[in-house]
C-alpha cells in the first residue's frame, strides 16, 4: 500500500513540475499578445501630467521621487518601473530596439516588434536571474522597464504598454 501511495505522490509531483515548465512560455506569449493589442488599440485617456507630458497611470501605481524630464520612477507595491523619455526621438524611432539588439551581453528570452501608423514599438523579455526577468516595452523614444517574476510577465507587459501607449507631450 505504501508503494502505491509513493507512486501516486511522485507521479503527481512530476505532473505539477511539467505544468510549471510550460507556464513560462504561456506567460510570455500571453504578455506579448496583450502588449500588441494595447499598441494597436486606442490609448488610454491620461490621468496624470508630469513636466508637460500627459500619461495614464493604472490603479495601484504611484510616481516615486521627483521626476525629471527624461526619467520617471513608478512603483506598484514592491515593484519599481523606470520610464525613460527621449524627446529627440519620434514615435517611429527604433533607437531603443537597435541598442538592445546590438548588446551581445543580454540574454533575450523573447522580443517582438510592432508597427502601425508611423509608430514603432517593441516588447522584450530578458533573463535577469534564475527566477526574474527584465521586461521592456517601448514606442519610439519612450521606454518602460521593470524586473518581474515569471508569473507576473503577462500582466506587467499589458500594464507597461498601456502606460507607454498613453504618453503625449504638450
Amino acid at each position: 500500500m505504501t508503494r502505491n501511495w509513493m507512486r501516486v505522490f511522485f507521479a503527481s509531483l512530476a505532473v505539477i513540475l511539467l505544468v510549471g515548465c510550460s507556464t513560462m512560455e504561456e506567460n510570455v506569449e500571453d504578455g506579448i499578445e496583450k502588449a500588441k493589442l494595447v499598441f494597436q488599440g486606442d490609448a488610454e485617456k491620461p490621468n496624470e501630467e508630469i513636466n508637460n507630458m500627459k500619461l495614464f497611470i493604472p490603479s495601484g501605481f504611484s510616481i516615486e521621487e521627483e521626476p525629471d524630464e527624461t526619467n520617471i520612477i513608478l512603483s506598484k507595491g514592491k515593484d519599481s518601473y523606470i520610464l525613460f523619455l527621449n524627446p529627440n526621438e519620434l514615435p517611429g524611432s527604433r533607437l531603443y530596439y537597435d541598442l538592445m539588439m546590438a548588446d551581445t551581453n543580454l540574454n533575450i528570452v523573447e522580443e517582438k516588434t510592432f508597427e502601425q501608423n508611423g509608430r514603432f514599438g517593441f516588447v522584450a523579455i530578458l533573463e535577469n536571474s534564475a527566477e526574474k526577468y527584465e521586461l521592456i516595452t517601448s514606442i519610439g523614444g519612450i521606454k518602460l522597464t521593470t524586473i518581474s517574476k515569471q508569473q507576473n510577465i503577462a500582466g506587467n507587459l499589458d500594464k507597461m504598454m498601456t502606460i507607454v501607449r498613453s504618453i503625449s507631450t504638450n
Side-chain angles (χ1 to χ4, degrees):
M1 188 75 160
T2 304
R3 254 186 179 191
N4 285 338
W5 183 85
M6 292 293 277
R7 286 183 184 160
V8 169
F9 173 76
F10 285 116
S12 298
L13 183 61
V15 168
I16 291 169
L17 290 174
L18 288 174
V19 168
C21 292
S22 66
T23 303
M24 174 61 182
E25 290 176 3
E26 291 170 359
N27 282 332
V28 168
E29 287 177 23
D30 189 31
I32 289 173
E33 185 60 29
K34 286 179 177 181
K36 177 182 175 184
L37 291 173
V38 171
F39 178 85
Q40 293 174 339
D42 294 331
E44 286 286 335
K45 182 180 177 188
N47 59 4
E48 291 284 338
E49 186 168 347
I50 305 167
N51 300 332
N52 297 323
M53 174 189 60
K54 294 179 181 176
L55 73 158
F56 174 78
I57 306 281
S59 176
F61 282 75
S62 60
I63 300 167
E64 295 294 316
E65 304 173 18
E66 190 62 33
D68 63 34
E69 301 221 358
T70 58
N71 298 299
I72 298 170
I73 299 175
L74 304 172
S75 66
K76 181 179 181 187
K78 294 180 181 179
D79 297 328
S80 293
Y81 300 77
I82 303 171
L83 181 62
F84 301 95
L85 307 161
N86 185 337
N88 299 320
E89 297 297 320
L90 298 173
S93 172
R94 300 175 58 101
L95 175 70
Y96 288 133
Y97 180 75
D98 291 342
L99 289 172
M100 178 187 74
M101 295 306 288
D103 189 341
T104 58
N105 294 320
L106 297 177
N107 186 0
I108 300 172
V109 174
E110 191 71 46
E111 56 82 20
K112 181 76 175 170
T113 62
F114 316 111
E115 292 187 65
Q116 182 184 41
N117 300 329
R119 289 180 288 121
F120 175 82
F122 75 93
V123 296
I125 297 101
L126 312 175
E127 195 171 293
N128 183 268
S129 67
E131 298 178 11
K132 295 197 176 186
Y133 299 86
E134 179 179 357
L135 306 181
I136 302 170
T137 59
S138 178
I139 298 175
I142 302 165
K143 178 174 84 166
L144 184 59
T145 67
T146 194
I147 302 298
S148 177
K149 292 180 182 176
Q150 172 189 322
Q151 65 266 29
N152 299 334
I153 289 174
N156 275 332
L157 287 175
D158 181 32
K159 296 280 190 233
M160 291 168 65
M161 186 59 85
T162 299
I163 293 168
V164 170
R165 178 73 173 93
S166 75
I167 296 175
S168 66
T169 55
N170 291 338

